[in-house]
Amino acid sequence: MNPSNADRPDSVLIGISMIVASVFMLSFGDALVKWISAELSLWQVFIVRSLFAIPLCLLVLRILGQPLTVMAENAGWVFLRSLLLVLMWILFYFALPNLSLPVAAAALYTAPLFVTLFSALLLGEAVGRWRGAAIGLGFFGVLVIVRPGSDAFSYATLFPILSAAFYALAMIITRGKCSDENPFVLSLWLCGLLMLFGIAGSVGISWLELASWRVVANPFLLGPWVSMATWDWAVLAALAILLVAASAAAAKAYQSAPPATVATFDYSYLLFAIFWGAALFSDLPDGPTLVGMIMIVAAGFMVIQRSGRKRGLASLDASN
């Protein structure tokens, strides 16, 4: 991390405002993707959405008076961050047609638990009893939602959990290595990589020439391109605006305030997911799912509050 990043004062109110706005837009965007997943392929969504999103990023940078360059100060870290987020979305969107939005959201929001695990495994940070108990509680909540061995179990639930791990790594990189980057430059890199993956996925599927099998297996992930109506173009244009605004807001949030503080309000995604699931799909979580969601949120708050307390004590010791 650059010294300038560590010395920059945090703007907690900006961080909170940005993350709430971000997850509101992301939850709505995810609901729209679930809505159109029966008609379009994932790779088609990636490409067409990026066709709108990339010029939008460039336009915003021009309005802000920023030089129209795609280069970032820490290009390697920005690329890795973007790659992790692309993988996160592929896994999450892969499962979304087969899961209710609240269940997928609950599985995705194990991310703070992964942050704690990665801190221990990669950075050698001590977990301690409190956060160890939080990890255990959170993953028990996941088991309550997934219900392995029962008729309610779906392997699709495992993919949002894996996507949470990629999201956690991406946010750690955002805070530690990309704090000086313009949020819209980060969005531009992300949209560009989504476009490349969309092209690669489309070419790969065409080359395999397995269209009849694709439609049966998973039409959203493996289906061919289809002609788009005016309404489809409008939805993808809206998704592009949501993607650029939400990704820039999330980057700004983690640049502005401590990750533990931002992650606390990141959980509002679950409330928005329940709302959109009920409003658009008449899909309400059942009793076990609600219990599991509460356990995951409680575990996340245990991790967040413990992390915040340790940072506060460290700051107090440093000032003495």
Side-chain angles (χ1 to χ4, degrees), residues 2-68:
N2 298 331
S4 59
N5 298 344
D7 295 337
R8 180 188 296 122
D10 289 325
S11 301
V12 175
L13 183 58
I14 292 177
I16 292 172
S17 301
M18 289 294 100
I19 199 61
V20 172
S22 174
V23 297
F24 175 81
M25 291 184 284
L26 285 174
S27 64
F28 183 45
D30 290 341
L32 289 179
V33 170
K34 180 176 175 63
W35 192 18
I36 65 174
S37 63
E39 302 175 5
L40 305 177
S41 75
L42 173 63
W43 314 112
Q44 186 173 2
V45 170
F46 276 5
I47 292 175
V48 177
R49 184 176 62 177
S50 296
L51 287 175
F52 288 108
I54 291 174
L56 180 58
C57 287
L58 294 172
L59 176 62
V60 172
L61 287 170
R62 182 63 179 269
I63 292 173
L64 294 176
Q66 299 293 323
L68 295 184

Side-chain angles (χ1 to χ4, degrees), residues 177-202:
K177 301 296 184 180
C178 302
S179 295
D180 289 332
E181 303 292 346
N182 186 301
F184 287 99
V185 171
L186 295 177
S187 293
L188 182 61
W189 276 63
L190 175 60
C191 294
L193 201 57
L194 284 167
M195 167 77 84
L196 292 177
F197 267 77
I199 294 172
S202 299

Side-chain angles (χ1 to χ4, degrees), residues 1-297:
M1 184 183 300
N2 298 331
S4 59
N5 298 344
D7 295 337
R8 180 188 296 122
D10 289 325
S11 301
V12 175
L13 183 58
I14 292 177
I16 292 172
S17 301
M18 289 294 100
I19 199 61
V20 172
S22 174
V23 297
F24 175 81
M25 291 184 284
L26 285 174
S27 64
F28 183 45
D30 290 341
L32 289 179
V33 170
K34 180 176 175 63
W35 192 18
I36 65 174
S37 63
E39 302 175 5
L40 305 177
S41 75
L42 173 63
W43 314 112
Q44 186 173 2
V45 170
F46 276 5
I47 292 175
V48 177
R49 184 176 62 177
S50 296
L51 287 175
F52 288 108
I54 291 174
L56 180 58
C57 287
L58 294 172
L59 176 62
V60 172
L61 287 170
R62 182 63 179 269
I63 292 173
L64 294 176
Q66 299 293 323
L68 295 184
T69 175
V70 298
M71 293 307 297
E73 293 184 18
N74 300 291
W77 287 110
V78 172
F79 174 80
L80 179 58
R81 173 190 183 273
S82 301
L83 178 61
L84 289 168
L85 289 175
V86 170
L87 295 175
M88 177 207 78
W89 262 310
I90 290 174
L91 291 169
F92 185 69
Y93 286 164
F94 172 72
L96 201 53
N98 303 309
L99 297 174
S100 71
L101 190 57
V103 169
L108 179 63
Y109 271 75
T110 55
L113 307 180
F114 282 108
V115 170
T116 302
L117 281 176
F118 293 149
S119 297
L121 296 175
L122 302 178
L123 304 178
E125 182 178 332
V127 173
R129 295 179 182 177
W130 181 263
R131 289 194 289 180
I135 293 173
L137 176 63
F139 283 108
F140 186 73
V142 171
L143 292 177
V144 171
I145 294 173
V146 174
R147 283 166 270 183
S150 71
D151 293 336
F153 174 72
S154 171
Y155 283 102
T157 315
L158 302 179
F159 290 98
I161 296 173
L162 184 56
S163 71
F166 289 121
Y167 177 81
L169 286 171
M171 291 306 101
I172 289 174
I173 291 173
T174 300
R175 176 66 173 177
K177 301 296 184 180
C178 302
S179 295
D180 289 332
E181 303 292 346
N182 186 301
F184 287 99
V185 171
L186 295 177
S187 293
L188 182 61
W189 276 63
L190 175 60
C191 294
L193 201 57
L194 284 167
M195 167 77 84
L196 292 177
F197 267 77
I199 294 172
S202 299
V203 171
I205 290 171
S206 298
W207 180 73
L208 290 173
E209 296 182 351
L210 296 174
S212 59
W213 173 77
R214 290 196 301 264
V215 173
V216 174
N218 191 318
F220 186 49
L221 183 68
L222 301 170
W225 274 57
V226 298
S227 60
M228 293 171 53
T230 303
W231 175 250
D232 295 323
W233 286 100
V235 170
L236 288 173
L239 282 172
I241 296 172
L242 290 170
L243 172 64
V244 172
S247 60
K252 183 64 176 178
Y254 279 92
Q255 289 173 340
S256 301
T261 302
V262 175
T264 302
F265 291 88
D266 209 338
Y267 274 109
S268 58
Y269 180 100
L270 295 176
L271 298 178
F272 295 135
I274 292 174
F275 172 77
W276 295 122
L280 298 179
F281 308 105
S282 300
D283 200 0
L284 289 172
D286 58 17
T289 299
L290 280 175
V291 171
M293 291 174 73
I294 291 171
M295 294 171 70
I296 291 171
V297 171

